Structures are given as structure tokens and as C-alpha cells.
Amino acid sequence: MSRQAVGAPLSRVDGRPKVTGQAMYAADHPANGVVHAAIVGSTVARGRITGIDARAALAVSGVLKVISHSNAPKLAYRPNPSSNNPEGGERLHVFQDDKVLFHGQPVAVVVAATPEAAQHGASLVEVRYDAEKPSTDLTGTPANAPVTYARGDADQAMQSAAVRLEMTYRTARNHHNAMEPHATIARWDGNRLTVWDKTQWVVGTQKELAAVFGIEQDAVRVISPFVGGAFGSGLRAWPHVTIAALAAREMGRPVKLVLTRKQLYSGTGYRPAYEYHLRLASDRRGRLTAMVHDIKAETSSYENFEEGVLVAGQMLYSMPHVRQAYRTVRLDVNTPLYMRGPGHATAAFAIESALDELAHALDVDPIELRRRNEPAEDESNGTPFSTRRLRECYTVGAREFGWDRRAPKPRSTRDGDWLIGIGMAAGVHTTRRNPAQARVRLDARGIALVEAATSDMGPGTCTSMTQVAADALGLTVRAVDFRLGDSTMPPTPAHGGSQTMASVGSAVQDGCDKLRRQAIELTVADERSPLHGVDAGDVAVTDGRLHVKHDPARGETYQQLLARNNRSHLETLGSFAPGEPRFSMYAYGATFAEVAVDHRLGLVRVRRMLGVYDVGRIISPKLADSQALGGMVGGIGTALLEHTVTDHRDGRIVNANLADYLVPVNADVPHLRAIYLDGEDREANPIGVKGLGEVVHVGVAPAIANAVFHATGRRIRGLPITAEALL
């Protein structure tokens, strides 16, 4: 069996259509007779609609209809527990009543012959409100009952500890701001619905639309072959998807709805703002004895969104006493959603900053402090780790980054007007796995078609799956065609949480292994085959040719086998279903950052960054680098730039654009480097991967924050770290 594709630094197989404009994103698909829709968003954050005047909009040439709660049909909104709605969600029932729950909530939609007419019409719709004062500030608002965890007696350990620290960390709301705006084209054919949508989970959107419209799941088809970035924003079907489908049914023709950049700030989710109060205790050598985590995060008034912010505090470091309380605060805002490194990144900023503060207080090297607190097992549940090579990440990172040249004393290194600092942080992310399927078909030309209903929002799913399939089938990469993004394909989990390679890749491996074995069994049983009578275990496949392992000259191609047997194709269905876990499975990383801070202006510049990762088997090194460097860039944004600002008087987001909401640009991106420890994790899945896309983001912000402290001697406990905070 050929082993040439996996591990090779291949360029993306879908790179050419993407860079030449041939790739069809959600809003690009042609639909005969399509009309266009534009959303009218609320201008208050809480209250009721008392009237809608659409006369001026309807007078615009090309405007066909204005739909709101006053004339929209009632929708089914059946329970859909298998969708990706946050737990406890009531959903936003669009156009079903007069309630306003957040600023920018869709209150009407204008349908017109052109997008310009739709937008102009939307600007003319007058909506009257009975407005109430909204609650949009996390600080001082009553919280929900907490999610809790405890082991030992943290309060008693705190009282008796030799060293105690107490800090409060705050993180701002962050928005995803992917290049492609969210868009949906919806078309009805009788009672069957087809939507072209920007989504990270075609099956989840399919289920949601079936539940909303009260139809069978197989009556809905969702198509999403290309996604122009998402970072988590496409993990559920947002209200505009329902609106497009509702408008299409009302109009009797396809409807295209594209959110504006401003509408992305209220129409889709975001990383919620947090207030993270942390107390820690240790002995005088830095051995941790206790941590107490009190956490508050924003959510909407109509759904309770929670994420994995508690995980790291339970298992990352060894300590006998832990207590955690995680409370969400219901506000008059739209619902948050997962954003790269969800929960884990927020927890890392607090915990890794606190470890750095403890190291400074004890005059212990920050890496040495972490080494002293490495656990032998997962102390949250007593299970062994499948792999845990965080110590090695520290060693390799320290060596490659030049940690030994770091002056321990803060504010002791300068370069002209710039104060220079070096910091580091650990990162961890859960190794997720979920059931998945993949269909594999080998045709008479010796070309394999592999299909799965997964997505690719940027990590290179098509390429990595092609590499796995090529090696499993003994084909060249050019002989494999991997297709995705269609709900008619075999089902897969959501494309998020670093689970796609582990789940879908394992299903692809299984399907291709089955098909290769099927071909081998066919050839050794065929009296006309040169391989007749050979033990199946002695047959390998290389470059599409089945042959005896120790006698490569004896064999035949897939094409010859199928032609002789009058077979147009071979086909199998691969599957992956994780069993009950016997191990604690996580991906790990250590991030190192060097920053320069202008001592007069407070400006922070990242000079260089290194990430060292324990993420199992690397399928595609070039794609891995793309993910790692992209995660670092996103972390720079979280640490230094990104901050959604809300006017608490009316709930309006005041920087809902890319001029005022700052994201990293080329000038902000320094020398970045990633290193991956050799290895694999066969306990996690058959192909030995652990997921890379999330963990590369997790430790970046605390590494930068710790470097800023080392440069300036000032500890900033809120993100983003701005010049104002340092002056």
C-alpha cells in the first residue's frame, strides 16, 4: 500500500478554483428567477413593535413585498434537540410575534427584484416601538444558577496556604469577522426546500429548517461546498436562513439574502465577554494546592449559551483542591456562539496569566513552575492521558525560542524606545470525536470519488481527506476526488471543535480500507487474475496497481480488474463511531511570544512567536502550518486589538464595521513559527490525530500578556491590551 500522500506538504487541491474565482460560495450559486431580500433590523434592544409602515418601501421600483410579524405565516418551530442550538435554547422565532429581544433583531424583510432595491426599501420601512431600557452590561447584572465543579476542600486549602493570590481577569466580546459574509439562497419545489448556505454543518442546518417549517428532514437539502472563513460563526442556522426560506415560500420563487458587514454583528454569534475571578494557593516552592474559579459570561435573554471554560481548570495542572462556578448572565443581546478555541482560550488567559503572576511572586522561572505542577493523570476523573507531552513542548519551545537568553527581571531589556519582553503560556483543547460516515466509489477509470457531508471553512478538508484516501486506496492524489458540503451525502458532525479530521478522516480511512480489501478479495478469487490464489494479506496497492508485496511485477491495475469483471465501479460506506473513552484525550501546546512596548506611547508590537504542539499525527504539514499561523494571528487580535463596543443606553454596537473593529493586518503579523512533536494517538481514533485548529489559538493571548508584563513590569488583566491600559 502506497504511503506517499499523508505527511507530504501538498498544496490545496481546491486552491486553483479559489484563487481564480471559480469557487462557488453561498451567494454565488445561480438560481433561475431569483429575487433579493434585505433585513430590517430593530433600532431598540428591548420592547415591543407597535407598528410597521411599509408604504414608502413598497413604492420603490422593484420592491415586491415586505414581510413582518404582521403578515408572516406561523411556523412550526418543532423541538430540534439534535441541532446545534445552545442547550436550553428557545430559539428566536422570527416574525412570529411583536417582541424585540436585542438591537438589530430582524423585524421585517424587504423582497425586491434587485439587491439595490431591497436595500433601499429596507431603509424606508418605519417601525414604531414601545421601548424599554435594555440590560446589556455584564457587570452588575444578576446571573443564572452556576454550573459547578469541586474536588477537595478549596476554601480550607486557601486559608492554610503559604502563598495566596487573587485576581480578576476580563475579556471583551469578539466577533468572527470572516471574509465571506453569511448568505443564503432558498428555493422551494413544492414541499421540498433547497438552500445554498454559508454553514459549517449542512446536516444541522437541514435539521433546523425541517423543524422550523414542520417538514421531514429529507425534504430539505442544504448545499455548501465552499465556506469563506467562519471560525465558529457557521455552527448553527441563524435567523436569516429561516427568513430566506420563509420569503422564498411566500414569493413562490428563489430568494437570495446576504447579510451586510454591519448585520454580522447582530445576525450571527460572537465570543462572549467574560469576567473571570481566580484565587490560587501554593506552597513556597510553587506547588499548587488550590484554585477557585468564579466565572461570569454574557448570554442572551432567550437562550443560555455555555462553552468549555471549566475544562482547563480541572485537568491542566496538578492540585488536590479545586472549586469552580460558571454563571451566565442573561442580557438583551443576541446569542453568543463558539469562536476559535471556545472556552479554552478564555480560561487560558486567566489561568496562564495567574501562573505567570505566581512565578513572579515566587521568583521562579515560569516554565519551571509549570513543570513542577505537571499531573500524572487527569485529576478531574482519575483516568490516564492518552498522550501528554506538554513537558516536551516546553523543552523544545524554550530551546528554539532562546528562553535561556531571557533576563528574568521585568523591564530590564530595551531596544531604544522599546521595552522588550518574552512570555509563554500553555494551551489545551479537548480531543473531540463523533460518529461520521463517508461514501467511497472507485470507477472503471481507476478514479476514486469520496463524499461526506462535512465542510471546509479554511483548514483544507478536501486536501487532507484526499491524502488519507489516496494512501488507503493506493492511488495518487490526482486519482482521488473528495467532495463535501451537501446534506445528501453521508452524515458527519459539525465542522468545528477540531473534530473533522479525527471523525470524518477516520470514516474516510475506514471506507477506503474496505474498498481496497474488496478489490483485493475480488482479484485473488478471480481465476483470470495474475493474483489468483495469492493470500489477500500479501497483496498491496501502489499507484492504482494491485501487486504481490514481495513480487511487485506480479499484479494488475484497478482498471484491469474492473474491466475483466464487467464492473462499472466498486463502492463502500465507511464509518467511524468512537467507543467509550478509556483515556483522557487532549491536544496540547506551548506558545512563546516576544513583544516590544513603546515606553512613552504604550504601543505593543509582537516581534516573533513560536508554538510547539502535541497534536498527534500530522496529515498535511502545509495545512498544519496554515492552521497554526492563522491561530496565532487570531490570538494577536484577541490579545491586542479586538473589542466589540456596546452603547449600553440602547444596546447598539457602535463599532460594527472593519474600520472601527480592529483585526490584525499584515503589519501586525511578525515572524511566526510552528513545531509539531512527532507521534500519534491511536486511542483517540484509527488515524492517530488529535485536532489542531483550536489549540493553536488557545495559548496566544496569555503568552502575549505575559510578555507585556515582562517588558513593562505592569500586569494587564483585561483583553485587549491597549495603549491606554499601559499609560
Side-chain angles (χ1 to χ4, degrees):
M1 183 168 50
S2 173
R3 286 292 180 189
Q4 299 174 357
V6 170
L10 301 185
S11 296
R12 295 172 187 255
V13 298
D14 55 355
R16 182 171 293 275
K18 287 183 174 180
V19 300
T20 58
Q22 299 175 61
M24 302 288 282
Y25 294 89
D28 297 333
H29 293 273
N32 291 333
V34 69
V35 292
H36 301 267
I39 287 174
V40 178
S42 68
T43 56
V44 303
R46 180 174 179 173
R48 290 188 176 274
I49 301 168
T50 59
I52 295 180
D53 187 347
R55 289 174 294 179
L58 292 168
V60 173
S61 176
V63 169
L64 305 173
K65 191 167 187 175
V66 178
I67 304 171
S68 68
H69 77 281
S70 63
N71 61 352
K74 293 300 178 185
L75 301 178
Y77 280 103
R78 298 183 308 201
N80 182 20
S82 58
S83 80
N84 218 36
N85 288 322
E87 292 186 10
E90 297 295 331
R91 294 200 195 101
L92 182 69
H93 291 192
V94 293
F95 304 162
Q96 300 299 288
D97 55 45
D98 61 358
K99 295 179 183 177
V100 177
L101 302 174
F102 57 89
H103 196 287
Q105 174 186 321
V107 294
V109 65
V110 176
V111 184
T114 66
E116 294 81 8
Q119 287 288 349
H120 183 44
S123 71
L124 297 176
V125 175
E126 294 185 7
V127 185
R128 297 185 299 277
Y129 304 95
D130 180 9
E132 303 173 30
K133 182 175 175 55
S135 175
T136 58
D137 191 350
L138 178 64
T139 305
T141 304
N144 292 326
V147 176
T148 61
Y149 168 85
R151 67 171 179 260
D153 189 339
D155 291 326
Q156 177 60 38
M158 283 285 173
Q159 292 177 9
S160 59
V163 180
R164 295 188 296 271
L165 296 179
E166 183 170 355
M167 299 79 61
T168 298
Y169 302 93
R170 292 180 173 85
T171 61
R173 183 194 291 191
N174 288 178
H175 272 84
H176 302 80
N177 280 306
M179 289 182 66
E180 180 197 13
H182 282 259
T184 304
I185 301 173
R187 184 188 71 202
W188 289 87
D189 299 292
N191 285 325
R192 302 191 68 83
L193 172 63
T194 301
V195 298
W196 293 264
D197 185 44
K198 174 178 176 170
T199 177
Q200 293 172 243
W201 194 20
V202 293
V203 176
T205 298
Q206 178 194 38
K207 292 177 179 179
E208 178 70 2
L209 288 170
V212 168
F213 288 95
I215 57 180
E216 294 302 312
Q217 183 178 329
D218 62 6
V220 180
R221 182 183 181 187
V222 180
I223 303 170
S224 183
F226 291 96
V227 178
F231 314 111
S233 65
L235 283 171
R236 69 177 296 183
W238 295 103
H240 71 271
V241 183
T242 295
I243 291 170
L246 185 155
R249 193 168 69 174
E250 289 294 287
M251 301 304 297
R253 56 196 296 187
V255 168
K256 178 189 293 190
L257 197 167
V258 182
L259 295 187
T260 66
R261 180 63 60 179
K262 180 178 180 180
Q263 287 171 340
L264 295 176
Y265 287 78
S266 57
T268 62
Y270 50 87
R271 191 194 306 278
Y274 274 86
E275 183 179 281
Y276 199 123
H277 188 73
L278 184 65
R279 292 187 290 151
L280 63 81
S282 78
D283 63 21
R284 298 198 181 278
R285 296 192 64 254
R287 291 298 302 270
L288 295 170
T289 54
M291 273 197 192
V292 176
H293 311 248
D294 287 302
I295 306 165
K296 290 203 305 183
E298 61 182 335
T299 190
S300 68
S301 63
Y302 54 95
E303 290 181 304
N304 189 38
F305 173 76
E306 297 171 355
E307 55 186 358
V309 72
L310 299 180
V311 173
Q314 297 172 11
M315 51 66 62
L316 185 54
Y317 296 110
S318 176
M319 72 193 81
H321 308 284
V322 178
R323 180 163 58 78
Q324 296 176 312
Y326 169 29
R327 297 172 175 86
T328 53
V329 180
R330 291 186 181 267
L331 302 172
D332 298 314
V333 298
N334 64 313
T335 304
L337 196 67
Y338 312 106
M339 186 171 174
R340 198 170 195 174
H344 295 75
T346 301
F349 172 61
I351 295 170
E352 292 302 294
S353 295
L355 262 288
D356 204 69
E357 296 203 38
L358 179 62
H360 178 68
L362 295 173
D363 195 22
V364 175
D365 180 84
I367 294 178
E368 175 58 26
L369 179 68
R370 287 166 173 81
R371 289 182 179 278
R372 292 177 186 178
N373 290 283
E374 264 291 291
E377 63 177 12
D378 186 338
E379 294 179 353
S380 71
N381 54 28
T383 59
F385 295 109
S386 57
T387 72
R388 181 178 170 120
R389 300 167 67 190
L390 199 45
R391 287 179 181 270
E392 191 173 346
C393 291
Y394 298 149
T395 300
V396 173
R399 182 185 68 235
E400 296 297 317
F401 203 69
W403 184 263
D404 61 341
R405 298 192 297 272
R406 172 184 183 268
K409 184 180 178 181
R411 205 180 175 90
S412 60
T413 305
R414 298 177 71 108
D415 182 1
D417 289 335
W418 298 90
L419 303 171
I420 308 302
I422 292 177
M424 60 80 58
V428 63
H429 193 275
T430 307
T431 295
R432 300 189 185 281
R433 311 161 303 152
N434 275 295
Q437 294 182 346
R439 182 167 51 245
V440 185
R441 181 186 177 99
L442 181 75
D443 66 23
R445 301 169 298 159
I447 302 297
L449 173 64
V450 184
E451 295 180 315
T454 188
S455 299
D456 184 357
M457 63 170 161
T461 306
C462 288
T463 305
S464 55
M465 299 301 168
T466 296
Q467 290 176 268
V468 170
D471 280 356
L473 292 170
L475 293 172
T476 65
V477 169
R478 291 187 298 275
V480 176
D481 181 11
F482 182 80
R483 298 181 186 175
L484 47 63
D486 192 324
S487 61
T488 62
M489 295 174 178
T492 62
H495 177 54
S498 291
Q499 65 182 324
T500 300
M501 197 70 242
S503 306
V504 182
S506 295
V508 169
Q509 179 79 45
D510 180 65
C512 293
D513 284 346
K514 287 177 179 176
L515 192 142
R516 187 189 71 253
R517 289 194 294 265
Q518 185 183 121
I520 291 172
E521 290 168 3
L522 183 62
T523 192
V524 300
D526 185 350
E527 295 180 354
R528 297 167 294 171
S529 169
L531 295 173
H532 176 250
V534 176
D535 186 277
D538 291 332
V539 177
V541 187
T542 305
D543 293 338
R545 186 173 180 275
L546 301 94
H547 60 86
V548 179
K549 291 179 180 178
H550 62 271
D551 184 9
R554 181 182 176 186
E556 64 176 336
T557 65
Y558 280 131
Q559 296 98 308
Q560 292 169 326
L561 173 65
L562 291 175
R564 190 176 61 251
N565 286 274
N566 296 317
R567 301 283 289 270
S568 63
H569 67 277
L570 299 176
E571 186 171 321
T572 60
L573 182 67
S575 62
F576 169 69
E580 285 296 317
R582 300 178 301 147
F583 293 86
S584 176
M585 291 176 284
Y586 293 92
Y588 300 93
T591 304
F592 295 77
E594 179 182 306
V595 305
V597 183
D598 189 302
H599 78 100
R600 292 177 300 179
L601 302 178
L603 300 177
V604 181
R605 296 288 182 263
V606 177
R607 288 193 165 188
R608 60 190 178 107
M609 191 173 294
L610 168 68
V612 184
Y613 307 108
D614 167 23
V615 289
R617 187 181 179 206
I618 299 297
I619 300 298
S620 181
K622 186 178 284 191
L623 294 178
D625 265 359
S626 177
Q627 284 293 283
L629 304 189
M632 292 181 199
V633 173
I636 291 170
T638 299
L640 302 177
L641 299 168
E642 299 188 50
H643 183 193
T644 305
V645 180
T646 302
D647 186 334
H648 298 304
R649 296 172 300 176
D650 59 7
R652 179 176 62 95
I653 296 173
V654 301
N655 62 336
N657 57 74
L658 288 179
D660 299 312
Y661 182 101
L662 303 181
V663 297
V665 297
N666 286 344
D668 299 306
V669 178
H671 176 70
L672 307 177
R673 183 186 175 199
I675 297 173
Y676 317 96
L677 302 183
D678 288 337
E680 57 184 31
D681 191 344
R682 296 287 176 174
E683 293 295 337
N685 49 73
I687 60 176
V689 303
K690 296 210 292 186
L692 175 67
E694 312 281 351
V695 73
V696 294
H697 181 95
V698 170
V700 177
I704 292 173
N706 292 339
V708 168
F709 170 74
H710 182 240
T712 65
R714 294 191 59 184
R715 180 67 63 179
I716 308 300
R717 299 193 180 108
L719 297 182
I721 300 170
T722 63
E724 292 85 351
L726 285 165
L727 290 177

